[in-house]
Amino acid sequence: MANDQTSIADSPDYPLASFSKDLLLRDGAILKLRALRQSDREGLKTLFNRCSPESIRYRFLSSIKSLPDELLNRLLNVDGANHVALVVVHGEGANEQIIAVGRYNVDKDRPQVAEVAFLVEDAMQKRGIGTLLLDTLAEIARQHNITHFSADVLIDNQTMLNVFRKAGYALASTASYGITHLEFSITLNEVVQARAEAQEAEAERVSLQYILAPKSIAVVGASRDPLSVGGALFQNLIRWGFTGAIYPVNPKAHSVSGVHAYSTIDELPEVPELVFIVVPAICVLEVARQCANAGVRAICVISAGFAEIGDAGRLAQAELLSICRASGMRMVGPNCMGVINSSNQVRMLGTFAPANPQVGNIAISSQSGALGLALIINAIQYGLGISSFVSTGNKADVSGNDLLQFWESDDATNVILLYLESFGNPRRFARIARRVARRKPIVAVKSGRTVAGARAASSHTAALANSESAVNALFAQTGIIRVDTLHDFFSVARLLATQPIPAGNRLGILTNAGGPAILAVDAAESKGLEVPKLSEATQAKLRASLSNAASVVNPVDMIAGAGAKEYRACLEILCDDEQLDAIMVIFIPPLVTPLAAVEKVIREVVAARPNLRKTIVAVFLDPEGKIMNIPAGKNLIPVYQFPEGAVEALGAATKYGVWRATPAGKFASIAVNQQLVDEVLNNHKSGWLESAEVTKLLSAARIQTITSAIVHSAEEAETAAKAMGGAVVLKVNKPAVLHKSDVGGVLLNIRPAEAGIAYEQLKSQLAKHEIDLEAALMMPMAKVGVEVIAGVTQDPTFGPLVAFGSGGVLVELVKDIVFRVLPLTDKDAEAMIDSSRAAKLLKGFRGAPPADIEAVKQLLLSLGALAEAVPRIAEIDLNPVLVHPEGEGISLIDARIRLSE
């Protein structure tokens, strides 16, 4: 669901009284989960009275006929840490009804253990509510350093025992006197995460069935004018032959397009599953209320005039969403173009756009309605069919995140195309997309690449970061194929929708002209594709079919005199060559060979090889030719106008194939010492930390700094240097001095006997920049190593970004920096290192020994864990980090941390 939910993980110190989020049940219904309030006393009593005697016995371990005030008072005595209680409610305002309650209470003797319990009314059981309550309570508990839950359950209460067993936590149990005592760690593990993700995905799919595959539809605002939005949409539904019932709602018409019309939703002979709302914005809220009261499962609000127009529109949109939430309706829009499903079982052209898309395997989501129409029209022009299309508009509810989960298991969808203008919840998007892209390619155009305004950056890490860095990082981590233009959008989509993903990057090129082949080779190398020299055996076969003037190395240039016969012979040879992963066939029509003849050859050669796993593309440089795809057996071969477009598609598909073939990474389980974190946070509101606090905060995530000392005079410097026993470094210890080398604030390789003189020299250098030296930081001179930078910065949309790249004083000039969004996996950390130019130095450059890459990887994972655990961290800047030879670790030469409020 697109609206930003209150996130416990993002706000460890949240005020529990305001906590609220929506629950999507496994049957697609939506309920609200919120903190228990003092005003809920009567609601709790009513819940108790609706529960059966058996449910009461199971909850209270004995049969009681009424809820004693003592129990009520104990339940309502919540403190947001040691005693937490949540309720699940349906409806809003005076109609709100509590249907479930869950709570945990910390064991006084064991503060890391809390007893947990639930009560769900009988009619709402077995819908996943208990598991969702357990997950949320565990999330809250983890933020308060609670590590285990315990529960007492009657032995015959199989429903609750199954909730605990299936949740994925490792249970330990003992039984006595008819009661099973459970205790289990609530640490978030892979089993729990996988179960929660599967449960969420299934709930999303069920709820979106009412939008993408409804059994009945009503159009409120259906008009007799075919040129109006409501009229065009209704006619499109009729024209495409929607397989269910369609009802026009228009109080001023007896019929619309020959179909009997109704004045209101209440008059319909049945409750429609999906309602399209096409009325003026001022009327939308009332129509939505009518839909909610009637029991409609989903609405698609075409009408504009909401958040896109300003504050008044945002308030109206919030009320519209509230109506949907209170009744459990899903909503597309508002301000959208509609929904399409081309399946023969649905046949829903639920849009007012003048388009007639073909049936196919591409699903499309677009925030922009106008651009969505352009995408459909382009798909038609390229001969591509769509499985479904959703214009998300303002994304008040249904977003790209939800649609990805529906399309993940949609048999009709093989490729997903996204046009994105914004991210409602980037971290949720990353989590979902990372999983979905393992099954199906996702191609995205993200608008807004340029930075609208300069960010006031203070550290090296922040100066090199921007939201575009975050978007690129997000797509790299999730395997999403990002393209810059709509032309590339369809170049890539056509290949993915019609051909197998390349098994590797080896490309064979067959051509009748050298010029286009040279362009293709240049483009291929820029996209990471290899045009390898063909084997002697393959070259010999090609020579036997071509003139002496032809080139058979790769590209295979048959020269202009080659005709259909030569194309057939050479293409068959290349198709059978196991050293190639993809083949590009280029054709420029000479005077003697018609385009149709070459098209026929390609079709027949590929169709004769139904088990061919090579990726085949064609380039026809014929301005008169209108061929977009060549049918060949079960697949189509995409035809491009120029070699660069074909290479763009092959390069993107190959890169995606490599990502998908790489095993998925594992999320790091690095425990951050909350006690050390609290010691620092409790003493600092905001700003740059002193070096001692930096050391303490880094050590909370097992990041070790070099042993150092603070000196305030030349005498102290000399004494400290002699104690260290070797060459030392002196640097100004003033948080406000960000770039120390710029003001002469660093002295290196100082002998202990000269430390006092060095202190005075440092003081003199700083004075030239009007900086008083009050204290200096001294540390041993580190052994040599590769200089890198690592750190964290906050993006306003994506949250913390972890950074890595080439370090040192020239970091901002070199700009070799890679970012990743949280959470990080071990593969993310490895990819960050490999993607930087520093990787060559770390792996051993010109005879140098390999550096300790594993230590760098652990540093990045620890930085990610620290940034997740401490949201108040605004920046971490570690520059330089010296990476020593393999097995010898790293040294943090300079470390800075800034806290936000």
Side-chain angles (χ1 to χ4, degrees), residues 635-656:
N635 292 332
L636 295 175
I637 297 170
V639 178
Y640 296 88
Q641 188 175 3
F642 299 107
E644 293 86 349
V647 169
E648 177 72 30
L650 283 169
T654 300
K655 184 178 180 180
Y656 167 72

Side-chain angles (χ1 to χ4, degrees), residues 819-834:
F819 293 93
R820 289 292 184 267
V821 300
L822 297 182
L824 285 183
T825 67
D826 55 348
K827 296 297 181 183
D828 291 332
E830 291 171 7
M832 290 180 74
I833 298 169
D834 291 340

Side-chain angles (χ1 to χ4, degrees), residues 860-874:
L860 297 176
L861 293 174
S862 294
L863 284 172
L866 185 60
E868 283 203 279
V870 190
R872 280 186 58 200
I873 291 177

Side-chain angles (χ1 to χ4, degrees), residues 549-721:
S551 172
V552 296
V553 178
N554 195 17
V556 179
D557 183 1
M558 303 180 296
I559 70 174
K565 177 182 177 182
E566 287 78 12
Y567 265 102
R568 183 182 297 274
C570 293
L571 183 56
E572 288 177 341
I573 293 167
L574 295 180
C575 282
D576 296 337
D577 187 341
E578 295 183 357
Q579 303 304 309
L580 296 176
D581 302 304
I583 299 171
M584 181 189 299
V585 181
I586 301 175
F587 174 72
I588 296 181
L591 295 176
V592 294
T593 306
L595 177 63
V598 176
E599 187 270 343
K600 180 183 178 184
V601 165
I602 297 172
R603 181 175 68 249
E604 292 177 349
V605 169
V606 176
R609 292 163 170 76
N611 297 321
L612 181 67
R613 294 301 303 164
K614 286 183 175 61
T615 307
I616 313 292
V617 298
V619 178
F620 289 169
L621 289 96
D622 181 4
E624 302 299 325
K626 301 299 181 183
I627 299 175
M628 292 295 177
N629 300 290
I630 301 172
K634 295 181 179 179
N635 292 332
L636 295 175
I637 297 170
V639 178
Y640 296 88
Q641 188 175 3
F642 299 107
E644 293 86 349
V647 169
E648 177 72 30
L650 283 169
T654 300
K655 184 178 180 180
Y656 167 72
V658 171
W659 176 86
R660 193 165 72 170
T662 303
K666 294 184 178 180
F667 293 104
S669 56
I670 298 174
V672 175
N673 187 323
Q674 193 63 42
Q675 181 177 347
L676 290 177
V677 170
D678 291 341
E679 289 176 10
V680 175
L681 298 186
N682 292 339
N683 293 323
H684 292 274
K685 295 299 180 184
S686 64
W688 293 101
L689 297 178
E690 297 286 349
S691 58
E693 281 77 16
V694 170
T695 297
K696 184 178 289 186
L697 201 52
L698 290 175
S699 67
R702 306 178 192 173
I703 301 173
Q704 300 303 313
T705 57
I706 296 176
T707 301
S708 60
I710 304 295
V711 295
H712 300 83
S713 65
E715 292 76 14
E716 288 185 12
E718 189 170 337
T719 301

